[in-house]
Amino acid sequence: MHKCTVFLCLVGVGIGANSAYGGPTYLALGDSLAFGYQPVAGNYPSNGDRDYVGAIADAQAKTFGARPNVINLSIPGETSGSFFDLSNPYRLANTNYFTHPATTQFDLAKQAILGSALVGAPVKTVSFSLGGNDLFQMIDNGFLFETPLQQAVTLQTTLNAVASNYAASLFAIRSVLPTARLILPGFYNPYPSDTPLGAPGDVLVSDLNAVIAGEAAAFGGRYVDFFTPISGHQHELTYADYGDVHPNNAGYAALSRAAVPAAVPAPAALVVFGLGLIRRRNRRV
């Protein structure tokens, strides 16, 4: 693991020398969707303070009077499993990894949480968005050529792994941030209905979103519906016509509108989550 002082680590993950070191921090974790990737020149490398992550920070500025420090550690291509290891080679698309090239997203997130607290900018909001690439990986491994019975087993195995990885990740987050605002976006089907994967994609993504919504409920998070804003509008809101699954500017704007209400909810009593209940869930340590 990369070794550094607290100050240097924070410079590398979004709280630099010119920061006032005060106020809350918003920590975004995930894959290319959370990173705000688009297949256009100049889109990366980036620190990821844009699209729905940037919109959440902007909305919190309007609601709470100050924009939070944004640390977006999302990596294009990340799966719920590679979140814990170095198997995903695309971390240097995110400038926060320039001084941490051999650090997992999971480990860098732990550093960011600790370091932010030590410099007076504690993490108050976390968004966590993984699982879409698990489905792509499943499809790439021959899912479409399996029998219906084999597909049912393969899908359930994939979803079980996603649920286990979510539980491990969120348990770690809640253990140190029991009252943080936790935002868990779901995913949309990137395939238009007039393509071969349109209808199957609806089923697969809906099943994945059910897992994510369940984890949100278990860990006191807010599930965000990203499926509905894009459904039926893939041609207009994504790069589907160019063979890419990511949203365009209009698509990210639609996702931002869906995410913002979860970031600035009506005032409510904070809940400290019972670790006894969480420990009974399957988890990874």
Side-chain angles (χ1 to χ4, degrees):
M1 182 186 298
H2 177 80
K3 296 182 183 296
C4 58
T5 66
V6 169
F7 175 76
L8 290 178
C9 278
L10 290 175
V11 170
V13 294
I15 301 181
N18 294 324
S19 171
Y21 289 143
T25 292
Y26 165 28
L27 176 64
L29 305 171
D31 55 22
S32 59
L33 198 60
F35 176 69
Y37 174 84
Q38 294 188 49
V40 295
N43 188 248
Y44 59 92
S46 167
N47 67 1
D49 187 356
R50 58 188 178 184
D51 298 314
Y52 83 75
V53 169
I56 285 174
D58 291 341
Q60 291 187 337
K62 294 179 181 178
T63 301
F64 304 120
R67 196 174 194 272
N69 302 298
V70 175
I71 301 177
N72 189 347
L73 301 182
S74 303
I75 306 173
E78 196 85 299
T79 67
S80 69
S82 68
F83 180 73
F84 297 97
D85 61 38
L86 297 173
S87 59
N88 177 11
Y90 300 112
R91 58 190 10 83
L92 291 184
N94 187 327
T95 57
N96 287 313
Y97 290 86
F98 282 7
T99 54
H100 306 77
T103 305
T104 69
Q105 187 173 173
F106 177 65
D107 285 335
L108 195 54
K110 290 190 292 184
Q111 289 182 28
I113 291 170
L114 174 61
S116 296
L118 289 176
V119 298
V123 174
K124 296 294 187 181
T125 301
V126 178
S127 61
F128 187 87
S129 176
L130 291 168
N133 286 317
D134 295 67
L135 291 185
F136 288 132
Q137 190 175 75
M138 179 188 76
I139 292 171
D140 289 344
N141 287 337
F143 175 81
L144 297 177
F145 301 100
E146 295 179 346
T147 66
L149 180 58
Q150 290 172 327
Q151 287 182 336
V153 173
T154 298
L155 176 60
Q156 192 58 56
T157 299
T158 300
L159 295 178
N160 286 346
V162 171
S164 178
N165 291 331
Y166 259 75
S169 304
L170 300 180
F171 174 80
I173 291 169
R174 278 300 188 209
S175 294
V176 292
L177 299 173
T179 61
R181 182 175 290 104
L182 180 61
I183 302 168
L184 273 68
F187 288 85
Y188 61 88
N189 177 11
Y191 303 109
S193 59
D194 56 357
T195 64
L197 283 176
D202 281 348
V203 174
L204 296 178
V205 176
S206 294
D207 287 345
L208 172 63
N209 287 341
V211 169
I212 297 171
E215 296 301 320
F219 287 92
R222 291 285 300 274
Y223 171 74
V224 178
D225 176 16
F226 276 0
F227 185 92
T228 301
I230 304 296
S231 183
H233 303 283
Q234 287 91 339
H235 290 298
E236 310 100 273
L237 299 181
T238 77
Y239 289 94
D241 292 346
Y242 302 91
D244 189 273
V245 299
H246 295 92
N248 54 27
N249 286 333
Y252 275 115
L255 299 184
S256 296
R257 289 191 292 273
V260 162
V264 287
L270 293 176
V271 177
V272 177
F273 300 92
L275 294 183
L277 173 63
I278 296 175
R279 286 196 182 101
R280 290 198 292 271
R281 301 182 55 81
N282 291 330
R283 65 182 186 272
R284 174 179 181 172
V285 295

